[in-house]
Amino acid sequence: MTLKILAGILLYTVLFGALTPIVLAAEQDTAEPDSWSSIVGLVNSTLQPGTKLFFAPVHAALTPDSKVMFLGYSRNQYSPTTPPGPFQSFTIVPEPLGAPIPAEMEVSVITVPFTPVPGGTDSLYCAANTFTGTGELFTAGGVRTLPNGNRWGLPYAMTYNSGSSQWSRIAQNMKGSIPGGAEMPGSRWYPTATHLWDDQMLVTAGFEDAEGNIGTANLTLEIFNAISKTWTVISSAPASSNSWGVRSPTWTPREITHSDYTFTWQLPSQLNGLYDLLMFGEFGYPIKMALPPLSISQRWVVDNNNPRPGTPDFPTGGFPSKSPNYGASSALLPIRLSGSSWGYGPGSIMIAGGDRKLGPEYNGHIKNIDFYDPNTSLWGTQLKLFSERHHPSIVLLPDGKELIVGGHDYAINANVKYAEYYDPQTATTSVGTNQSAEVRGYHSVALLLPDGRVLVGGGTDTGVATTEKANFEYYYPPYMSKNRPSIDSATTTINYNSDFGINYTSTNPISEVVLMALGAHTHSFDQNQRYIQLNIASLGSNSLIATGPPSSRTAPPGYYMLFVLDNDRTPSVATIVQLK
């Protein structure tokens, strides 16, 4: 299939000391020769002897041992219309690249040591998930069901060690709560977890009740210190749930509110020597935040006059009626050695898809791709998706492109089965040539594997929760069919700003070495993925010396996939390394 896509190429030129955007239009013939595997069912035949259970993933994370950890529903029938059973933790070992694709894959169910109230239940449904510096999967929040059936956010965090296949509960509960709020302080459903540069874990927002009542949005932020095992609230909730137009320098701004997960990133360098984080809530405003020890009165900058392009004006009081980022996906653009060498500054992000049309006066963002550079506070040229996508997923690929898969529109439109790409080097879009077997909308997962494949699974057809599919497919980007370089040997530990060696085989010259953080994905947002280009200190015909990232702001400590790329930007299979 050949498609004509009008792409805007955003370049920057320095004029009188300021960055000025220049927009060039280019019509491109853009077809990507990709492919999809057959469907693989997720089953377990041992948990209930004599009964085959089917498992539908809602969360997915790549652990340091190259397994995939899922959180999702179990069912006693394959059909997604079957009522779901318990929400469980389960893992798979993807078969080696080139091996036959099985029709079904047996999952290993991992028991989670919850501590529910007597007569109630706890689960990790819609928890936050990211990785610690030691490679443990970190979750915060979820759902606590009381004996009377009321559902609240889960008030504690957990970690999963893939080496021992064991979950552990963090003893101290979270602390952040809204004034006069929940029965259980610290309750969070749909919070965001961010691994910070100093190896602490930031937990942002969520809801105190687990019914999505916007009046119970837990607009507090707190940090978990892995050494002291304690929580510290660093930003308090506004005093009134009805005070949208009221501001206070000591409150968390309401603009971080999101029905799913607040988009939050550790920036690769401090902005203006102050701001550490970039955030976007559902309503499209850029938000910059400084971590302690900066005074609370200087902590937040909200750009209320610069929302996501095309967003209509919001009311000055009351709750905003338009939500451009509801159902959107967002990701950092690749962090390059030379800053803006690809036309954007470090820490720039893209947002794809979003809310549906809300009336004749507003066309929504369901077909838009937008770009924001926090260094200049400028939005780039808006591009259009091939298909309308509500709840798509953006996956960073080792060749530097951003893959957009899944999502749904108003109907079950087959166009959402095609993968799309944004290439930040050329600022152009392209579309795959083959369709997936399933529509994978709300509650789908998408995860880059070390061999370069992308696992795409679960999801609903039109956004009805509890109708997720109990299967997945492998997606093969175009580079999978090329002659790829290989890493013959490399160190297993990398240190900041220190050289290390890689032995490789390649028919083409090597051009780049990159680190990619292990993915931790749910609800269209990966809370851990990150792409960092490394410096090549010396390059030989079969070996090279690369240099670790300059700082933990660029790449927080932890486990990464190490790739080498040839001069056609074709990546190797990755080696998993630990960055210290």
Side-chain angles (χ1 to χ4, degrees):
M1 180 184 67
T2 299
L3 299 169
K4 300 288 186 179
I5 304 289
L6 183 64
I9 302 176
L10 179 63
L11 303 176
Y12 286 103
T13 185
V14 178
L15 296 176
F16 306 109
L19 289 172
T20 303
I22 297 177
V23 180
L24 304 177
E27 187 176 24
Q28 295 209 333
D29 191 351
T30 52
E32 297 284 355
D34 59 357
S35 61
W36 294 83
S37 75
S38 55
I39 287 177
V40 181
L42 292 167
V43 303
N44 180 279
S45 304
T46 61
L47 193 64
Q48 296 181 11
T51 301
K52 181 185 287 187
L53 297 177
F54 301 86
F55 289 77
V58 177
H59 302 242
L62 178 69
T63 54
D65 55 3
S66 297
K67 295 180 182 179
V68 177
M69 163 59 75
F70 293 115
L71 304 174
Y73 294 109
S74 62
R75 290 190 174 91
N76 58 16
Q77 296 182 37
Y78 182 72
S79 170
T81 60
T82 306
F87 199 80
Q88 305 211 47
S89 158
F90 50 100
T91 64
I92 63 168
V93 181
E95 74 290 327
L97 187 63
I101 303 298
E104 293 181 338
M105 185 173 289
E106 190 80 8
V107 309
S108 297
V109 178
I110 311 294
T111 301
V112 183
F114 292 117
T115 55
V117 299
T121 59
D122 290 349
S123 87
L124 295 177
Y125 177 58
C126 302
N129 39 228
T130 190
F131 282 97
T132 68
T134 56
E136 291 184 313
L137 181 64
F138 174 92
T139 69
V143 173
R144 165 162 281 182
T145 303
L146 302 182
N148 61 7
N150 290 344
R151 302 194 316 158
W152 293 90
L154 193 66
Y156 55 87
M158 306 196 76
T159 58
Y160 173 73
N161 185 304
S162 61
S164 63
S165 298
Q166 290 185 334
W167 284 94
S168 300
R169 185 203 193 281
I170 291 173
Q172 188 182 70
N173 281 6
M174 293 181 284
K175 296 181 177 180
S177 295
I178 63 177
E183 300 173 19
M184 293 162 288
S187 301
R188 294 185 190 271
W189 187 50
Y190 281 102
T192 299
T194 308
H195 186 195
L196 300 177
W197 68 274
D198 58 1
D199 212 14
Q200 298 190 101
M201 312 303 293
L202 173 72
V203 176
T204 300
F207 296 89
E208 287 204 334
D209 79 14
E211 305 299 337
N213 182 344
I214 204 72
T216 71
N218 187 344
L219 298 185
T220 64
L221 281 77
E222 55 190 306
I223 286 178
F224 176 70
N225 185 305
I227 297 174
S228 65
K229 308 295 183 184
T230 57
W231 293 94
T232 302
V233 175
I234 63 168
S235 188
S236 300
S240 168
S241 61
N242 298 315
S243 58
W244 181 272
V246 178
R247 297 280 183 264
S248 168
T250 61
W251 292 347
T252 303
R254 292 194 174 278
E255 287 83 351
I256 73 165
T257 305
H258 202 299
S259 298
D260 289 327
Y261 293 84
T262 302
F263 301 146
T264 306
W265 299 275
Q266 166 75 64
L267 291 168
S269 58
Q270 278 190 319
L271 292 176
N272 304 320
L274 296 174
Y275 298 104
D276 304 280
L277 301 169
L278 175 66
M279 299 181 180
F280 280 89
E282 189 169 308
F283 313 110
Y285 298 117
I287 304 162
K288 298 165 188 175
M289 183 193 178
L291 293 169
L294 191 69
S295 165
I296 185 67
S297 64
Q298 300 174 286
R299 191 155 293 166
W300 296 97
V301 172
V302 181
D303 197 345
N304 290 107
N305 296 316
N306 191 25
R308 187 177 175 189
T311 302
D313 291 337
F314 290 154
T316 56
F319 196 75
S321 60
K322 304 297 188 294
S323 305
N325 288 347
Y326 174 57
S329 184
S330 191
L332 281 171
L333 296 177
I335 299 170
R336 306 292 297 173
L337 280 171
S338 54
S340 59
S341 62
W342 280 6
Y344 58 85
S348 294
I349 59 98
M350 67 177 285
I351 305 174
D355 66 339
R356 310 187 205 195
K357 300 178 180 70
L358 299 176
E361 81 288 354
Y362 180 47
N363 290 325
H365 286 74
I366 197 168
K367 204 170 182 179
N368 295 348
I369 308 175
D370 291 296
F371 308 91
Y372 179 79
D373 187 335
N375 303 276
T376 61
S377 299
L378 294 174
W379 290 91
T381 302
Q382 187 176 85
L383 302 180
K384 293 295 181 181
L385 291 162
F386 168 60
S387 175
E388 293 185 341
R389 295 181 190 264
H390 186 64
H391 282 112
S393 295
I394 300 174
V395 181
L396 292 170
L397 296 180
D399 62 359
K401 294 181 180 179
E402 310 245 353
L403 171 69
I404 306 166
V405 291
H408 58 86
D409 61 5
Y410 296 110
I412 302 176
N413 186 337
N415 283 344
V416 299
K417 296 182 178 181
Y418 289 104
E420 301 190 50
Y421 288 88
Y422 173 70
D423 186 344
Q425 184 181 31
T426 60
T428 55
T429 57
S430 54
V431 182
T433 56
N434 291 285
Q435 290 182 317
S436 63
E438 299 269 24
V439 172
R440 299 195 183 274
Y442 185 57
H443 278 179
S444 60
V445 297
L447 197 66
L448 175 69
L449 302 179
D451 58 29
R453 292 177 294 180
V454 179
L455 185 153
V456 184
T460 67
D461 285 338
T462 57
V464 179
T466 73
T467 62
E468 295 82 5
K469 301 172 176 72
N471 60 43
F472 72 89
E473 302 164 71
Y474 293 113
Y475 176 69
Y476 300 85
Y479 56 68
M480 297 294 294
S481 61
K482 296 181 178 180
N483 185 13
R484 300 172 67 183
S486 63
I487 296 175
D488 300 323
S489 63
T491 182
T492 58
T493 303
I494 295 173
N495 299 114
Y496 290 102
N497 211 29
S498 296
D499 291 345
F500 65 96
I502 300 174
N503 295 316
Y504 68 89
T505 300
S506 181
T507 57
N508 294 322
I510 294 299
S511 63
E512 291 188 20
V513 178
V514 299
L515 289 179
M516 301 195 69
L518 307 183
H521 180 276
T522 188
H523 291 75
S524 300
F525 184 51
D526 191 312
Q527 296 171 38
N528 201 61
Q529 69 176 337
R530 201 173 186 92
Y531 179 115
I532 304 101
Q533 182 191 16
L534 300 183
N535 177 60
I536 297 178
S538 66
L539 179 63
S541 58
N542 296 108
S543 65
L544 62 84
I545 301 295
T547 307
S551 74
S552 58
R553 292 184 183 275
T554 302
Y559 284 81
Y560 289 78
M561 291 176 279
L562 173 71
F563 292 91
V564 297
L565 280 65
D566 68 17
N567 60 1
D568 191 35
R569 291 170 63 190
T570 301
S572 66
V573 171
T575 294
I576 293 183
V577 299
Q578 185 177 15
L579 174 64
K580 293 183 175 181

